[in-house]
């Protein structure tokens, strides 16, 4: 029940953010991040109308997928160890955390079809965050042309946890600028039409700055951790 209320509230806020910048809410996908919650809660999200789910661990993904089957679209959003690729690859529709060549190599090798990937960029340049440096992103994407099973559908970032709105905004804006640059190169395996950015505390700003996929955990399904 609560998930349904949360979802309504999020949709309202999305609408407001869209109106500010003249975007359409239909262009934004909500990914319910269920990593902190039970399978039952994840099912509640699906029942409330969420069609995309995100997990950041192999165990959580496989356990929830077994119960919820093929209903939702599955996103792998966390940092991905190369040795885990084999076990998750057939169970995900999107990988949001491609950030190194060795990982790309492994995804390409294990995939039985083209995998939709986001390149994770560390726009805030924090030591603790995963992701590739902004200035290395273009060369990295060019080098992925060698991997036929990888399609770069977009860029992803995790903004720092802060309530400094201007700083958050600049992070999202930098990712958008980078996306525009990638698109201008017209690389066949990198249409790069999506921007995965915005979480519970910053999704309105991310939408104002061009997010097409927002990854929401706590504000939508809560947190049991
Ligand atoms: C956990 C997580 C989220 C969701 O975080 P909330 O703040 O709970 O909304 C989004 N993206 C990634 C990569 C995460 O690991």
């Amino acid at each position: 029940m609560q998930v349904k209320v949360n979802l309504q509230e999020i949709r309202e806020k999305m609408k407001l953010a869209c109106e500010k910048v003249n975007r359409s809410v239909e262009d934004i996908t909500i990914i319910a991040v269920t990593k902190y919650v039970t399978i039952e809660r994840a099912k509640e999200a699906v029942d409330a109308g969420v069609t995309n789910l995100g997990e950041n661990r192999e165990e959580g993904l496989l356990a929830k997928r077994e119960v919820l089957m093929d209903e939702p679209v599955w996103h792998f959003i966390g940092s991905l160890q190369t040795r885990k690729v084999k076990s998750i690859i057939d169970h995900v529709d999107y990988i949001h955390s491609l950030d190194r060549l060795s990982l790309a190599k492994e995804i390409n090798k294990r995939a039985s079809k083209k995998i939709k990937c986001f390149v994770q960029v560390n726009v805030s340049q924090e030591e603790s965050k995963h992701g590739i440096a902004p200035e290395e992103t273009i060369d990295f994407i060019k080098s992925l042309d060698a991997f036929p099973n990888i399609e770069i559908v977009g860029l992803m970032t995790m903004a720092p946890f802060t309530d400094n709105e201007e700083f958050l905004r600049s992070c999202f804006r930098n990712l958008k600028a980078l996306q525009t640059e990638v698109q201008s190169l017209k690389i066949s395996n990198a249409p790069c039409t999506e921007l995965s950015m915005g979480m519970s505390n910053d999704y309105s700003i991310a939408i104002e700055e061009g997010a097409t996929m927002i990854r929401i955990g706590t504000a939508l399904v809560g947190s049991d951790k």
Side-chain angles (χ1 to χ4, degrees), residues 3-20:
V3 175
K4 209 170 171 178
V5 174
N6 293 344
L7 183 60
Q8 258 161 9
E9 207 167 288
I10 290 164
R11 286 203 171 124
E12 273 310 306
K13 286 193 183 155
M14 287 171 73
K15 211 171 129 215
L16 290 175
C18 281
E19 277 164 6
K20 267 197 196 169

Side-chain angles (χ1 to χ4, degrees), residues 42-166:
K43 188 168 181 319
E44 233 183 286
V46 173
D47 290 342
V50 169
T51 53
N52 287 256
L53 296 189
E55 279 285 330
N56 69 340
R57 320 242 342 213
E58 175 197 8
E59 298 75 20
L61 172 77
L62 298 183
K64 289 193 176 78
R65 197 163 168 155
E66 202 179 328
V67 174
L68 297 168
M69 300 300 289
D70 296 329
E71 267 179 88
V73 175
W74 288 97
H75 299 258
F76 195 90
I77 59 166
S79 68
L80 180 54
Q81 289 170 285
T82 306
R83 64 185 173 86
K84 298 269 184 178
V85 169
K86 194 179 166 194
S87 54
I88 65 139
I89 196 82
D90 288 331
H91 305 284
V92 294
D93 301 288
Y94 291 86
I95 293 174
H96 288 243
S97 43
L98 178 54
D99 61 356
R100 58 194 190 278
L101 210 53
S102 57
L103 182 58
K105 232 177 234 176
E106 182 69 6
I107 292 170
N108 186 65
K109 179 176 158 192
R110 301 292 179 186
S112 50
K113 59 172 196 295
K114 214 182 252 292
I115 304 292
K116 299 188 183 90
C117 296
F118 286 82
V119 170
Q120 181 168 354
V121 185
N122 184 359
V123 272
S124 62
Q125 304 269 36
E126 282 177 299
E127 280 297 326
S128 61
K129 286 264 175 357
H130 289 275
I132 196 160
E135 64 273 17
E136 289 166 11
T137 303
I138 297 285
D139 280 345
F140 178 62
I141 290 177
K142 282 181 181 164
S143 71
L144 299 177
D145 221 20
F147 303 121
N149 286 336
I150 290 181
E151 179 176 32
I152 301 305
V153 296
L155 303 180
M156 177 274 209
T157 199
M158 264 179 101
F161 191 79
T162 171
D163 50 16
N164 181 339
E165 192 182 315
E166 273 321 300

